[in-house]
Amino acid sequence: MKSILNKRMAFMLLLLIQCGTTWSQDTLSTYLITSDTTIEYKFSKAQYQILPDKTGELSIDEVKSDIYAKQFFTKGKSPTNIDTNVNTNWYRYTVKNTLAKEFSVMLHTNQDYSDFYVIRDGQKQTHYKNGWLIPWKDKDGLEGDNLIPLTLAAGEQAVIYNRIENRRPDTQYSFEVKLFNAERYVFKLFKERQGYFDFPFIILSIFAGFCLLGGL
């Protein structure tokens, strides 16, 4: 009888520990793309999680393992036993294209070093990198703007891990996770840079006008 009670108590204790572990995990909400007219898609705190990498040596496989997967937390809810004043942080989030068509976005971090690992259903993991301190020849995507194009089929969902490293620590509190509408962003860049090319022409035209007026 005593052994049965001990087993029941052990089982209840294990159940409580498991429940406590489950409750301590933050729920990660999927970011849903519902419009193709927005140029910028900003994630709320509930839509991405952070894992500080104190040594800067964690690999993507380690980060995805059960040991580290449970250590991700929501911004502003870091455990007291984790040092967040680090140079390297991992971010993870899920994005889904709910549109009835294929849609392209741009991944962006604007950091010194940035690695993206994109995991799609039924497909191999894809690795991209960019960042201000990465040599131009080693960058993926739009090098000058540190943007990585990502096309999602209608209804497709992707899990994204983003490793960022900076010379200055503790950047996670100023960092925002966001995507850009690829088509609209490229059009915006074109319009901005078209203005750069037009400016010398405008100055030259004004100068030519003064010359003509002077000649008259």
Side-chain angles (χ1 to χ4, degrees):
M1 183 69 178
K2 187 175 181 180
S3 62
I4 294 175
L5 288 174
N6 288 338
K7 287 181 180 179
R8 286 181 178 176
M9 289 178 65
F11 175 76
M12 291 299 294
L13 181 61
L14 181 62
L15 184 62
L16 285 171
I17 292 172
Q18 186 173 359
C19 289
T21 303
T22 304
W23 293 335
S24 67
Q25 300 299 311
D26 293 325
T27 301
L28 181 62
S29 301
T30 299
Y31 187 91
L32 303 177
I33 297 175
T34 58
S35 170
D36 61 356
T37 59
T38 306
I39 189 171
E40 185 176 286
Y41 304 93
K42 286 188 177 182
F43 286 54
S44 69
K45 291 180 181 179
Q47 292 171 322
Y48 67 93
Q49 294 175 329
I50 309 168
L51 174 67
D53 183 356
K54 190 172 181 62
T55 64
E57 297 178 355
L58 290 177
S59 68
I60 179 61
D61 291 331
E62 289 175 314
V63 167
K64 292 191 307 181
S65 69
D66 291 340
I67 296 175
Y68 289 100
K70 296 176 182 178
Q71 295 182 32
F72 277 85
F73 57 84
T74 301
K75 183 177 180 179
K77 295 183 179 180
S78 59
T80 55
N81 62 333
I82 293 182
D83 184 4
T84 58
N85 190 38
V86 298
N87 295 75
T88 305
N89 287 285
W90 287 83
Y91 294 80
R92 72 175 176 190
Y93 50 91
T94 303
V95 58
K96 182 176 182 179
N97 174 21
T98 67
L99 303 175
K101 63 177 182 178
E102 184 179 84
F103 188 68
S104 296
V105 294
M106 298 280 200
L107 305 175
H108 176 61
T109 57
N110 198 32
Q111 307 296 314
D112 291 346
Y113 301 92
S114 183
D115 289 86
F116 288 98
Y117 298 87
V118 180
I119 305 169
R120 303 169 184 262
D121 292 337
Q123 296 187 32
K124 290 184 178 180
Q125 174 180 285
T126 311
H127 176 215
Y128 307 98
K129 61 182 177 180
N130 63 23
W132 297 115
L133 298 184
I134 292 182
W136 193 276
K137 63 181 179 62
D138 296 329
K139 290 186 179 186
D140 295 310
L142 299 182
E143 297 92 341
D145 297 280
N146 291 314
L147 294 166
I148 303 294
L150 175 65
T151 300
L152 298 171
E156 185 179 9
Q157 178 172 294
V159 178
I160 298 165
Y161 285 83
N162 181 201
R163 178 190 184 276
I164 67 168
E165 180 180 348
N166 289 286
R167 290 167 295 178
R168 296 180 60 184
D170 198 25
T171 56
Q172 62 175 261
Y173 294 102
S174 59
F175 178 74
E176 288 184 320
V177 175
K178 57 186 175 181
L179 306 173
F180 289 104
N181 180 326
E183 181 180 348
R184 288 182 175 269
Y185 192 86
V186 169
F187 181 73
K188 175 176 174 287
L189 288 179
F190 172 76
K191 292 295 290 183
E192 289 175 352
R193 287 165 192 183
Q194 185 183 42
Y196 297 151
F197 294 123
D198 288 346
F199 182 73
F201 177 76
I202 293 170
I203 297 298
L204 185 61
S205 299
I206 293 172
F207 178 75
F210 277 119
C211 290
L212 287 172
L213 289 173
L216 293 174

